Amino acid sequence: MDSIYITGAGVVSAIGVGKEATLASLLAGKSGVGKMKYLASCHHDIPVGEVPLSNEEMVQRLGITDSLFLTRSALMGRLALREALEEAGLEGDALRDVPFISATTVGGMDRRETYYELEKECNQNYAVIATHHCGSCTEMIAEAFGQFASISTASTACSSATNAIITGANMLRCGLAEIVVVGGTECLTKFHLNGFNALMILDAQPCRPFDRDRAGLNLGEGAAYLVMETEASVKKRGAKPLCKLSGYGNACDAFHQTASSPDGEGAYLAMQEALQLAGMKPEDIQYINAHGTGTPNNDESESRAIQRVFGDHLPPVSSTKSFTGHTTSASGSIEAVFCMLALQHQFLPQNINWKNPMEGGIIPVTDQQPQGEIRHILSNAFGFGGNDSSIILSKCEA
């Protein structure tokens, strides 16, 4: 595969606003999951991973004077995108040839909940209500930075942001662009929380991925974006690569509307495809950032899939969702940034809260210190309906 480099990255999650704060939390093993503060839900007993800023504080940080129609997803997205573009040295006219692909599923549901009772007066409130679908969220983020070549929205549940990365990579490989900006954003909403609660897959305690006593997931929120470029563009602009996208894969086993297949067929195929595209063998991977939601079904299914792919060459594995909660559609890009930081700073993100091995499952990482150099990381993101995606990020050679 032709070389694709990441030259800018921005991230916002429960463990920090920006890469510097995020790295500090990862190294300290500090989780952002806790008591609900900003979400106006009656389910105060359910722990969540909220971005540690109110909407008003984000508006102030962004210097916005008119925020009437802006949703929380859009505000988080702007913060993350600003950091990514600044690092890559892109602004203004430089974006005119750059496609923007953003992932979300909840979109502006937080604002729709606010105006739900007013929908019977649709004519009067249409301007507000019309901004709540997923595409509007992408437009709200993009409009603050200038004129992109195109904007697209990916929505494949929890694999959305990873699929945005894959879509952007395919555009680069096909010569449709030299630079793309990809990622995702997702805020917490009552609709969101109640839906997962109705599925009975939320844990009333901090989640414990791959633990024998795991009881479900914690929901989180956040945003992350990556600037990806061809090698030719990197050389032309004199950009500094942060890491390399070496491979990726997407598969759908369509086993069930929400459950993962017992043998993890879709996950297995996605990881195999990523390795094949990268021209790698299982033993070339030094760390796996698992999807690892903490639900009994996911962790068992993903364990089977990883064991099928890696066999006797199983590298260290962990889930970082015990840090942030499950940020659903944004999780793939948020965790891609975590993986990039792990490559740059040579540490293994811990699987915090883990205590007891699950029967037949993987034993995750609890020690940050790698046994050798981390050169290649595989990151998984699996969505409802069996839409499973994997990417491989690699350390840039000197």
Side-chain angles (χ1 to χ4, degrees):
M1 182 175 108
D2 294 338
S3 294
I4 294 174
Y5 293 98
I6 294 170
T7 57
V11 65
V12 176
S13 76
I15 60 171
V17 178
K19 292 194 296 298
E20 184 177 348
T22 298
L23 176 62
S25 293
L26 289 171
L27 292 174
K30 181 182 177 183
S31 174
V33 174
K35 188 174 176 62
M36 201 178 294
K37 183 176 180 180
Y38 301 113
L39 182 62
S41 169
C42 62
H43 298 293
H44 303 294
D45 55 325
I46 298 176
V48 293
E50 291 181 305
V51 168
L53 292 173
S54 67
N55 286 14
E56 291 73 23
E57 288 170 326
M58 285 191 277
V59 165
Q60 290 173 3
R61 285 201 181 200
L62 290 163
I64 298 169
T65 55
D66 182 7
S67 61
L68 176 62
F69 300 128
L70 290 179
T71 64
R72 188 168 175 85
S73 290
L75 291 169
M76 294 187 300
R78 285 191 181 186
L79 284 172
L81 182 55
R82 182 173 68 178
E83 183 182 25
L85 293 178
E86 286 178 354
E87 184 167 41
L90 292 174
E91 62 180 357
D93 290 342
L95 298 175
R96 288 187 176 276
D97 296 322
V98 178
F100 177 51
I101 307 168
S102 182
T104 188
T105 301
V106 168
M109 187 61 72
D110 60 320
R111 295 298 298 272
R112 192 167 191 92
E113 289 169 351
T114 302
Y115 289 96
Y116 176 75
E117 294 298 329
L118 300 177
E119 290 201 31
K120 56 182 177 290
E121 304 168 19
C122 189
N123 290 337
Q124 181 180 344
N125 297 286
Y126 180 76
V128 175
I129 295 169
T131 63
H132 297 170
H133 59 76
C134 295
S136 284
C137 180
T138 304
E139 291 173 356
M140 286 180 194
I141 297 167
E143 67 187 8
F145 299 94
Q147 186 71 40
F148 284 93
S150 62
I151 60 173
S152 305
T153 304
S155 189
T156 59
C158 303
S159 59
S160 298
T162 302
N163 285 335
I165 293 170
I166 290 173
T167 302
N170 282 332
M171 294 182 75
L172 296 178
R173 289 180 68 201
C174 294
L176 296 176
E178 293 186 336
I179 306 172
V180 295
V181 179
V182 295
T185 184
E186 197 94 296
C187 73
L188 285 166
T189 67
K190 290 184 284 186
F191 174 86
H192 198 186
L193 188 76
N194 294 346
F196 278 85
N197 201 28
L199 290 171
M200 296 184 289
I201 55 174
L202 293 182
D203 195 341
Q205 303 296 323
C207 69
R208 303 171 294 287
F210 300 109
D211 192 280
R212 178 194 66 196
D213 302 320
R214 66 197 184 283
L217 59 86
N218 304 139
L219 279 175
E221 64 179 1
Y225 291 98
L226 307 171
V227 177
M228 302 198 306
E229 303 189 41
T230 62
E231 185 172 2
S233 175
V234 168
K235 290 178 179 178
K236 182 170 64 176
R237 294 201 318 118
K240 180 182 177 182
L242 305 174
C243 68
K244 183 177 175 180
L245 178 67
S246 297
Y248 49 86
N250 169 262
C252 185
D253 59 20
F255 171 75
H256 187 269
Q257 286 180 320
T258 57
S260 302
S261 57
D263 60 356
E265 181 67 13
Y268 168 80
L269 292 172
M271 288 186 279
Q272 287 280 61
E273 184 180 345
L275 286 167
Q276 183 178 9
L277 187 60
M280 294 181 189
K281 299 177 181 178
E283 52 264 40
D284 293 323
I285 302 296
Q286 285 79 44
Y287 165 63
I288 300 172
N289 179 267
H291 187 58
T293 61
T295 62
N297 174 242
N298 175 91
D299 293 3
E300 182 176 355
S301 175
E302 188 171 10
S303 288
R304 300 286 178 272
I306 289 173
Q307 289 163 344
R308 287 175 66 191
V309 173
F310 289 89
D312 295 333
H313 301 287
L314 183 66
V317 181
S318 74
S319 168
T320 50
K321 288 182 174 62
S322 44
F323 280 93
T324 61
H326 188 358
T327 55
T328 52
S329 293
S331 62
S333 55
I334 289 173
E335 291 168 27
V337 175
F338 293 174
C339 292
M340 185 193 77
L341 293 172
L343 283 166
Q344 290 177 318
H345 299 276
Q346 291 293 295
F347 72 97
L348 297 171
Q350 302 170 69
N351 200 112
I352 56 177
N353 303 330
W354 183 88
K355 292 181 180 179
N356 304 302
M358 53 185 277
E359 184 178 354
I362 60 174
I363 296 177
V365 171
T366 56
D367 182 5
Q368 290 182 0
Q369 189 63 40
Q371 295 302 307
E373 184 184 18
I374 304 173
R375 300 185 307 278
H376 307 291
I377 292 177
L378 183 142
S379 185
N380 289 332
F382 305 147
F384 282 170
N387 193 316
D388 301 330
S389 297
S390 300
I391 60 172
I392 297 173
L393 297 180
S394 299
K395 184 180 177 183
C396 288
E397 300 300 328

